[in-house]
Amino acid sequence: MEKRTLFELTSEARAIEDALIENGGELTPELEIAMTDNREALVAKVESYGMLYRKFKYTASMIAEEIKRLQAMKKTAENGEKRIKERLEFNMRANEMTVLEGGTTRVSFAKNPASIEVNEEAMIAPYMFLIDQLAESLPPYIKIDVKVSKDVIKQMYKETGVMPAGAEQVQTESIRIR
């Protein structure tokens, strides 16, 4: 038996149906053989599709389970990494150490890039009357979402050396393990 695609089998079934209509519904021996052959081929094709579908479904399920297992392993490793850093940092600070060197490992404190901390409420408060006036003039389906841009504040501070009220530059440090 020749292999035919699902599309070809569907087209054949339509052609058989059209031939029956042309014959006034008379089922000729040729049309009966064609119908039987088409039905058997469709059944075989559906079985093949069903097996392939179940294989893909099972594979996707197994991959999803493996992803969950690997995510759990990742979380465990990240938690372990975090706890080790916390313990080293706590003990170094308790012993007033800034550097701790082993045979192949060096632990030290390093400054993080400066960041901007903002009190959005304090920074926005002087402008609330303007924001309220603007909001009142807008249709009800337009909302105003006011946010303070830390990036713009940082850039302004670099250029002018002036930090707006309600914002401050913060310098933190963290432990580095090499």
Side-chain angles (χ1 to χ4, degrees), residues 3-31:
K3 293 204 177 207
R4 294 171 286 186
T5 66
L6 188 58
F7 178 77
E8 290 169 338
L9 291 170
T10 304
S11 295
E12 286 176 21
R14 291 255 184 329
I16 293 167
E17 188 179 309
D18 290 344
L20 274 170
I21 291 170
E22 284 180 24
N23 288 348
E26 181 182 335
L27 184 61
T28 65
E30 295 84 19
L31 284 176

Side-chain angles (χ1 to χ4, degrees), residues 123-162:
M123 293 187 80
I124 294 172
Y127 305 100
M128 279 310 294
F129 74 96
L130 290 172
I131 295 167
D132 290 342
Q133 285 178 350
L134 178 59
E136 287 173 9
S137 68
L138 295 172
Y141 53 84
I142 296 178
K143 300 287 182 200
I144 297 177
D145 185 22
V146 181
K147 294 175 92 176
V148 175
S149 173
K150 293 179 183 181
D151 292 334
V152 172
I153 292 172
K154 193 173 195 177
Q155 187 62 35
M156 285 174 47
Y157 182 66
K158 279 183 185 176
E159 293 171 3
T160 64
V162 176

Side-chain angles (χ1 to χ4, degrees), residues 14-175:
R14 291 255 184 329
I16 293 167
E17 188 179 309
D18 290 344
L20 274 170
I21 291 170
E22 284 180 24
N23 288 348
E26 181 182 335
L27 184 61
T28 65
E30 295 84 19
L31 284 176
E32 189 172 355
I33 290 170
M35 282 177 60
T36 302
D37 176 54
N38 184 266
R39 187 174 298 119
E40 289 172 0
L42 270 170
V43 167
K45 187 59 74 174
V46 165
E47 281 302 310
S48 294
Y49 269 70
M51 288 189 309
L52 194 56
Y53 169 80
R54 285 186 290 280
K55 178 184 176 190
F56 283 140
K57 187 174 181 177
Y58 173 77
T59 301
S61 174
M62 291 292 94
I63 290 169
E65 288 300 315
E66 184 65 6
I67 288 170
K68 285 180 190 175
R69 186 183 73 80
L70 291 172
Q71 285 174 332
M73 286 176 62
K74 178 184 176 200
K75 186 69 174 164
T76 299
E78 288 171 344
N79 288 342
E81 174 188 7
K82 181 181 174 188
R83 281 190 303 274
I84 287 171
K85 282 181 87 171
E86 287 171 350
R87 286 180 185 154
L88 284 169
E89 181 176 356
F90 174 80
N91 284 296
M92 287 177 69
R93 288 192 193 282
N95 291 301
E96 298 179 359
M97 302 169 82
T98 57
V99 176
L100 184 57
E101 294 205 38
T104 58
T105 304
R106 182 176 196 271
V107 182
S108 62
F109 287 100
K111 292 192 182 298
N112 295 324
S115 63
I116 302 294
E117 293 286 322
V118 296
N119 179 340
E120 284 201 22
E121 193 173 308
M123 293 187 80
I124 294 172
Y127 305 100
M128 279 310 294
F129 74 96
L130 290 172
I131 295 167
D132 290 342
Q133 285 178 350
L134 178 59
E136 287 173 9
S137 68
L138 295 172
Y141 53 84
I142 296 178
K143 300 287 182 200
I144 297 177
D145 185 22
V146 181
K147 294 175 92 176
V148 175
S149 173
K150 293 179 183 181
D151 292 334
V152 172
I153 292 172
K154 193 173 195 177
Q155 187 62 35
M156 285 174 47
Y157 182 66
K158 279 183 185 176
E159 293 171 3
T160 64
V162 176
M163 186 69 66
E168 65 177 315
Q169 186 171 3
V170 178
Q171 181 70 56
T172 60
E173 64 179 19
S174 60
I175 197 165

